[in-house]
Amino acid sequence: MPRCHIYHKPTGTLLARDLYHHQHSWLLDLHDCHELLPVGAYMEVKKNEQITCKGEEVGSLLVGREALMPLPRGDWTGCCGPMGGRKNVLAPDEETPIAWETADCHTPHYVRIDPGEWELKQVDQENGLCWVAWIHHQGEKQLLSASYGRDENEAKKRLISAAQKRLENEAHYCSQPGKILNAKIETADVADFVNSMGCKPTEVLSQVKWLFRKY
């Protein structure tokens, strides 16, 4: 699972650097049309994956907004209902659309590069590690965030920052903000997290619960 840079093929624009291929398709927040990719990862939409039911085209490449290079943006278009609106990501000429990000009326989700328009450039052969963060809430382990890194230190550094931001975001909208904010954030390698739940790989998807606000 080597690190890659991602380019927009038609224009040669660098879109993102040093990302790992997301290996755990079950580790996606698909509730209420949220699409949460781990920090530091990209994902290609393939046939029969659950994310295609959200209208994503097979062959698209998805990356998190935090991974994108500082490129110009267009204006929001479309309805910010359950399926959300979209904003074009533009090439440095500030005119050519090269990708687009989606959002609902509350939260931006991810950036999509259309099929045939992305190219991966392998940086090296380093294997990335995936870590997850969660809190115990309403009697369950509820995930906050996930991240990839070159090693444990990098993955955890990215993870804690993302998890804390998610926790504060959720607390702002929930009815018991103090209970959420005071919860202890716990972290683990993704394999250890799955083992701690005592479920088989085929059961993982139904067992994973994300912390998110209700609209």
Side-chain angles (χ1 to χ4, degrees):
M1 189 176 59
R3 288 187 299 129
C4 293
H5 296 341
I6 299 172
Y7 289 85
H8 180 248
K9 192 186 299 184
T11 63
T13 304
L14 176 63
L15 289 166
R17 298 173 57 88
D18 295 324
L19 300 186
Y20 293 97
H21 179 217
H22 182 38
Q23 298 290 310
H24 309 282
S25 59
W26 55 269
L27 191 57
L28 293 169
D29 182 354
L30 294 171
H31 191 91
D32 287 350
C33 295
H34 283 76
E35 312 292 353
L36 180 66
L37 287 166
V39 177
Y42 67 87
M43 175 181 171
E44 180 182 356
V45 179
K46 296 181 179 179
K47 263 188 178 180
N48 302 322
E49 284 184 333
Q50 288 213 2
I51 201 166
T52 59
C53 73
K54 300 296 182 181
E56 286 305 338
E57 189 176 353
V58 171
S60 299
L61 199 74
L62 308 182
V63 300
R65 292 176 66 252
E66 83 291 333
L68 204 70
M69 301 297 289
L71 294 162
R73 301 289 206 279
D75 296 325
W76 283 111
T77 61
C79 171
C80 284
M83 293 305 293
R86 60 181 281 174
K87 177 189 287 190
N88 284 331
V89 178
L90 305 174
D93 63 10
E94 299 187 6
E95 294 182 1
T96 307
I98 56 177
W100 52 274
E101 59 180 296
T102 87
D104 61 23
C105 55
H106 294 280
T107 311
H109 296 317
Y110 59 91
V111 174
R112 163 179 157 172
I113 306 111
D114 288 331
E117 294 195 358
W118 52 270
E119 183 175 22
L120 303 178
K121 182 179 178 181
Q122 184 173 315
V123 180
D124 55 37
Q125 290 290 344
E126 292 180 1
N127 289 320
L129 297 179
C130 183
W131 277 63
V132 294
W134 72 90
I135 63 171
H136 288 277
H137 181 59
Q138 297 180 339
E140 297 179 314
K141 285 183 178 179
Q142 298 200 3
L143 288 172
L144 291 170
S145 189
S147 72
Y148 281 80
R150 292 177 177 84
D151 52 31
E152 178 179 332
N153 288 337
E154 184 177 59
K156 289 176 73 172
K157 182 178 179 180
R158 291 174 170 177
L159 180 64
I160 293 301
S161 175
Q164 187 62 43
K165 185 182 297 184
R166 176 82 177 244
L167 195 69
E168 292 169 0
N169 222 15
E170 300 292 350
H172 182 72
Y173 287 92
C174 77
S175 59
Q176 297 178 307
K179 187 173 182 180
I180 295 293
L181 285 175
N182 292 326
K184 179 184 177 183
I185 297 177
E186 300 187 54
T187 63
D189 174 87
V190 68
D192 292 338
F193 171 76
V194 172
N195 290 337
S196 72
M197 294 174 68
C199 56
K200 300 175 183 177
T202 54
E203 300 170 337
V204 169
L205 190 61
S206 62
Q207 295 290 330
V208 169
K209 307 293 182 185
W210 287 90
L211 178 71
F212 49 84
R213 57 184 177 271
K214 299 284 188 180
Y215 299 144

